[in-house]
Amino acid sequence: MKKTPFVTKEQVEEIVKTYPTPFHLYDERGIRENAKAVKEAFAWNPGFREYFAVKATPNPYILKILQEYGCGCDCSSYTELMLAKSCGFAGEDIMFSSNDTPAEEFAYADGLGAIINLDDFTHIDFLEQTIGRIPETISCRFNPGGVFKMSNGIMDNPGDAKYGMTREQLFEAYKILRGKGAKRFGLHAFLASNTVTNEYYPKLSRQLFELAVQLRDETGCDIRFINLSGGVGIPYAPDQEPNDIHVIGEGVREAYEEVLVPAGMGDVAIYAEMGRFMLGPYGCLVTKAIHEKHIYKEYIGVDACAANLMRPAIYGAYHHITVLGKEDIPCDHTYDVTGSLCENCDKFAVDRKLPKIDMGDYLVIHDAGAHGFAMGYNYNGRLRSAELLLREDGSVKLIRRAETPEDYFATFDCFDDIKIKR
């Protein structure tokens, strides 16, 4: 699959007249088309809802676009809950899935009427002590342990994950929660990350559907929804085939009709919490080549760094790179593409074949729309860059300004009476 940027060199040259590099850029048209496709793929289930994983791209402009397609918000912290509320999400528009949760976050989620998804058995008493009761609608997160496999091999190792309850804990939790007044129940699980296969959701759903029937039969609980969480990935590398959300939706439907419908549970709603699939391909990091270095290897230094996109630095993750205006030039040079942090892992690419890069060239780092800007930080005093939205009409809107030194120093109380001098 050829990786083609959604922005051209000419467009970037126009954008930088107002907003200097580096910046994160999002493709409104792509976001809308994808959100529509997800909705259509699960239209067979009247209760289906995508709860967008706010952690992936916590920007109100993005959330408001997704809201137009019926999406809710999957939140994991106090501030994410605040962001969802500020965008007009309320009540069961919000799923609160967190772990090691402070009491004040449970209380705030309950105050918003959000659906609380309990990560651990001990959280039952903790939640009750915090808010004085158990909500009538409640969900629990399941961890089956062991290794999760599919036909193309081992996908992940739930047994090493800190999330969710064991099977025995889950059944006991449902009984206790029902006894404490819960009336409507949900089931949630996340077994693998960034799966680039149409098999994942159908296999996961079949496991959860069978578990839901057993839970209903053994505990008497009314299970209203099954949350498949996230894990549907994107093809970061050009040689990967993308997931087909319509094939995935059809696979889940087949499992639903084979397991839930015969069990008299054909009214159960299906939820998802995709972040990467919803936004990943529809955002990029745009940066400029500002230095070249010729020592034991050939280096290209750009004006972005791992503080703008840390996945390559911490995971060794592959992000494709396009040199704008040189898309059709042979990739006959080998570079490490680096940032300026005082860490040798601050590299967007290692031994990457690219066309000859000249100073001033603009580079597009693909698939940064999810877990890109959101994972940014201020190491070395680096400031977070701007976020821009490429509108459907070709115009560009600033949806988050770049940080300034004043922002960096704002939390130091010793600078209250000192004006930052540049």
Side-chain angles (χ1 to χ4, degrees):
M1 182 187 74
K2 185 177 180 180
K3 288 277 190 181
T4 304
F6 58 79
V7 65
T8 66
K9 178 183 178 182
E10 291 73 25
Q11 286 175 303
V12 166
E13 288 174 337
E14 189 62 31
I15 293 170
V16 298
K17 293 177 182 177
T18 305
Y19 306 109
T21 55
F23 53 77
H24 285 262
L25 182 67
Y26 302 97
D27 176 21
E28 181 181 11
R29 184 185 303 278
I31 294 169
R32 289 184 178 278
E33 290 176 352
N34 191 52
K36 182 181 178 183
V38 169
K39 188 174 182 179
E40 291 173 349
F42 289 90
W44 55 266
N45 182 259
F48 173 77
R49 193 162 200 188
E50 158 63 20
Y51 284 85
F52 175 68
V54 175
K55 66 179 74 67
T57 318
N59 189 292
Y61 290 89
I62 301 297
L63 297 184
K64 295 294 284 185
I65 290 173
L66 296 176
Q67 190 177 40
E68 294 180 33
Y69 296 88
C71 294
C73 287
D74 164 47
C75 299
S76 59
S77 69
Y78 198 103
T79 47
E80 287 182 2
L81 288 167
M82 292 176 66
L83 178 58
K85 178 185 178 184
S86 72
C87 291
F89 295 92
E92 295 192 357
D93 293 342
I94 304 171
M95 182 75 61
F96 184 54
S97 296
S98 64
N99 69 95
D100 193 20
T101 310
E104 59 269 23
E105 298 193 4
F106 271 140
Y108 189 67
D110 180 68
L112 295 179
I115 299 172
I116 293 176
N117 183 37
L118 293 177
D119 178 70
D120 187 64
F121 183 81
T122 64
H123 290 179
I124 298 172
D125 288 343
F126 187 80
L127 176 63
E128 186 177 35
Q129 292 166 9
T130 297
I131 66 174
R133 56 183 169 76
I134 292 296
E136 291 189 354
T137 299
I138 195 78
S139 179
C140 292
R141 184 170 184 170
F142 173 54
N143 183 331
V147 174
F148 183 70
K149 298 180 180 180
M150 291 191 295
S151 63
N152 53 348
I154 294 174
M155 302 304 297
D156 218 328
N157 189 350
D160 280 347
K162 67 176 181 175
Y163 311 107
M165 306 181 195
T166 68
R167 181 183 177 88
E168 293 75 17
Q169 289 174 334
L170 190 71
F171 277 77
E172 186 65 19
Y174 272 57
K175 293 174 184 177
I176 292 173
L177 289 165
R178 187 182 182 205
K180 290 180 178 291
K183 297 179 179 179
R184 297 172 293 276
F185 292 82
L187 177 62
H188 175 287
F190 177 88
L191 302 188
S193 179
N194 192 38
T195 60
V196 189
T197 168
N198 295 328
E199 287 185 63
Y200 173 60
Y201 257 11
K203 181 167 183 177
L204 170 63
S205 65
R206 188 175 294 275
Q207 290 187 13
L208 292 183
F209 295 165
E210 291 172 352
L211 179 60
V213 173
Q214 294 167 5
L215 282 164
R216 189 272 314 265
D217 291 346
E218 294 188 26
T219 68
C221 292
D222 180 12
I223 298 177
R224 294 291 183 88
F225 65 85
I226 295 173
N227 190 333
L228 304 179
S229 188
V232 179
I234 62 173
Y236 284 99
D239 60 353
Q240 292 179 298
E241 286 295 320
N243 285 321
D244 186 328
I245 196 62
H246 293 284
V247 172
I248 291 171
E250 180 63 15
V252 175
R253 184 191 64 78
E254 290 177 3
Y256 189 97
E257 293 183 353
E258 291 174 10
V259 179
L260 290 181
V261 173
M265 297 176 68
D267 59 348
V268 171
I270 302 301
Y271 294 164
E273 292 174 353
M274 295 181 286
R276 196 186 313 269
F277 184 81
M278 297 299 293
L279 257 293
Y282 312 108
C284 63
L285 175 60
V286 180
T287 184
K288 183 170 67 173
I290 58 173
H291 287 291
E292 55 186 331
K293 185 170 185 175
H294 317 285
I295 49 172
Y296 307 106
K297 302 179 74 172
E298 294 294 303
Y299 294 93
I300 294 295
V302 296
D303 58 4
C305 64
N308 305 108
L309 178 64
M310 70 187 299
R311 294 187 72 254
I314 63 172
Y315 302 133
Y318 180 94
H319 279 262
H320 198 64
I321 295 176
T322 294
V323 183
L324 290 179
K326 297 183 177 181
E327 292 87 345
D328 298 322
I329 295 177
C331 295
D332 54 5
H333 285 62
T334 302
Y335 297 113
D336 281 15
V337 179
T338 77
S340 59
L341 295 187
C342 299
E343 295 289 340
N344 196 45
C345 64
D346 182 20
K347 297 178 179 180
F348 294 112
V350 176
D351 295 330
R352 185 74 60 86
K353 289 288 188 180
L354 292 166
K356 183 179 183 302
I357 297 176
D358 298 301
M359 297 304 92
D361 279 349
Y362 293 107
L363 280 62
V364 165
I365 303 176
H366 291 250
D367 300 315
H371 310 289
F373 179 94
M375 296 176 74
Y377 55 104
N378 289 126
Y379 182 57
N380 273 181
R382 295 299 172 188
L383 304 175
R384 292 178 179 87
S385 52
E387 289 183 293
L388 309 176
L389 183 65
L390 180 62
R391 307 298 297 267
E392 291 184 285
D393 62 5
S395 64
V396 172
K397 181 174 180 60
L398 178 68
I399 61 174
R400 190 194 305 258
R401 67 166 173 80
E403 287 183 338
T404 66
E406 286 77 9
D407 296 318
Y408 181 79
F409 289 104
T411 53
F412 293 110
D413 60 4
C414 60
F415 285 102
D416 283 349
D417 299 318
I418 302 175
K419 182 176 179 60
I420 304 300
K421 296 180 180 180
R422 301 199 189 193

